[in-house]
Amino acid sequence: MSVSYFDHKRKDLIDILMKSGIRDERVLGAFNKVKREFYVVPEFKRLAYDNSALPISNNQTISQPFTVAFMTQLLNVKEGDKILEIGTGSGYQAAILCEMKAKVYSVERIEQLYEEAKKILHSQHYKVHLKCSDGTTGWEEHAPYDGIVVTAGSPDLPDSLVKQLATGGRLVIPIGDKNAQEIWQVIRVKDKDGSEYLDIYKHKNFKFVPLIGKEGW
Ligand code: SAM
């Protein structure tokens, strides 16, 4: 498969994302730059730009491009934002965030995936702070975050992640049972009197691998 084959397929995917309602130019711009063919396993390379989730090692998945775009749009990333990702997986979502000029921190619980993502992100010249650990408790050392994106399905909102969200920050997380989840966009808002509360918007019909850990399944 030639480079131009993938370039062509990448453009087709962006058309599909636009037709599916992705409007954020910065998200679409990042999709135009990240080469998804490097983040999928060799057997699935030719399907790299299908709008579908694909298997990676350890029974995990690289998420469907629409889902990555939708969650990234909900994160409302601005240049220089500090973003925490829980569930590095293939490293693709982290690369998208880097292309949006965010400072990216990403946690993965499976060592093999952590090692593979480290290699690929480094080879593609993306600077991501990576950690292999249970991400349900976040990464306190670097908190607060302007955005937190969780790429595995949780039974509930992990308290630690809510606590590590900056004022005005957005937490995007799939919540539900193991068969289906809603994507929640949780925004930490500051009231006129200085008190803070959470605004929550929910989007139906998604399916993720489970978030396994102390504040997950
Ligand atoms: N963002 C990934 C990508 O772009 O390829 C998608 C990865 S996959 C849908 C979800 C990932 O979450 C898996 O790699 C899984 O091992 C990881 N995961 C599940 N529970 C976790 C936890 N408690 N902490 C960190 N990672 C976790």
Side-chain angles (χ1 to χ4, degrees):
M1 275 156 285
S2 64
V3 172
S4 67
Y5 169 83
F6 286 124
D7 288 346
H8 185 73
K9 289 277 183 193
R10 198 176 307 111
K11 299 257 178 292
D12 289 348
L13 175 63
I14 287 162
D15 282 347
I16 291 169
L17 295 178
M18 287 168 76
K19 284 185 187 133
S20 314
I22 304 301
R23 296 273 176 267
D24 186 328
E25 289 294 332
R26 300 193 61 233
V27 174
L28 294 167
F31 269 77
N32 201 18
K33 288 194 183 135
V34 179
K35 297 182 164 45
R36 195 170 188 253
E37 64 269 29
F38 290 118
Y39 299 83
V40 301
V41 291
E43 325 62 298
F44 289 104
K45 239 185 176 37
R46 77 197 152 78
L47 303 179
Y49 291 97
D50 281 14
N51 189 21
S52 56
L54 293 171
I56 54 176
S57 58
N58 291 271
N59 283 329
Q60 301 301 318
T61 52
I62 173 171
S63 302
Q64 182 194 23
F66 171 75
T67 305
V68 177
F70 186 71
M71 293 180 97
T72 310
Q73 190 165 264
L74 291 178
L75 264 184
N76 194 14
V77 181
K78 291 179 278 310
E79 187 170 341
D81 273 0
K82 198 197 287 182
I83 306 286
L84 174 66
E85 177 193 28
I86 307 303
T88 316
S90 67
Y92 180 73
Q93 167 83 75
I96 292 282
L97 294 167
C98 284
E99 285 292 356
M100 297 178 78
K101 300 197 168 33
K103 292 184 201 112
V104 186
Y105 294 79
S106 184
V107 183
E108 170 57 54
R109 65 179 277 276
I110 299 175
E111 184 147 11
Q112 189 185 350
L113 291 176
Y114 157 80
E115 291 293 348
E116 287 169 359
K118 186 157 75 173
K119 257 189 228 147
I120 179 70
L121 287 165
H122 182 74
S123 75
Q124 295 294 299
H125 309 291
Y126 292 121
K127 282 194 189 127
V128 180
H129 305 270
L130 294 168
K131 180 162 103 157
C132 185
S133 125
D134 172 12
T136 62
T137 56
W139 193 343
E140 197 165 10
E141 198 186 334
H142 302 288
Y145 299 95
D146 303 298
I148 301 178
V149 59
V150 181
T151 68
S154 177
D156 220 326
L157 261 187
D159 279 345
S160 301
L161 298 186
V162 173
K163 283 191 189 122
Q164 291 174 29
L165 199 58
T167 305
R170 294 78 56 198
L171 164 61
V172 179
I173 178 169
I175 307 256
D177 60 28
K178 284 192 178 160
N179 298 315
Q181 301 88 34
E182 291 178 330
I183 290 180
W184 290 20
Q185 183 196 37
V186 180
I187 307 177
R188 181 186 285 283
V189 183
K190 192 171 197 166
D191 225 338
K192 283 183 200 128
D193 65 4
S195 62
E196 293 196 331
Y197 62 93
L198 300 177
D199 252 350
I200 303 184
Y201 303 88
K202 301 178 183 179
H203 305 269
K204 280 191 201 304
N205 289 333
F206 290 89
K207 172 130 177 65
F208 287 79
V209 295
L211 180 75
I212 297 167
K214 194 171 167 218
E215 295 185 41
W217 289 102

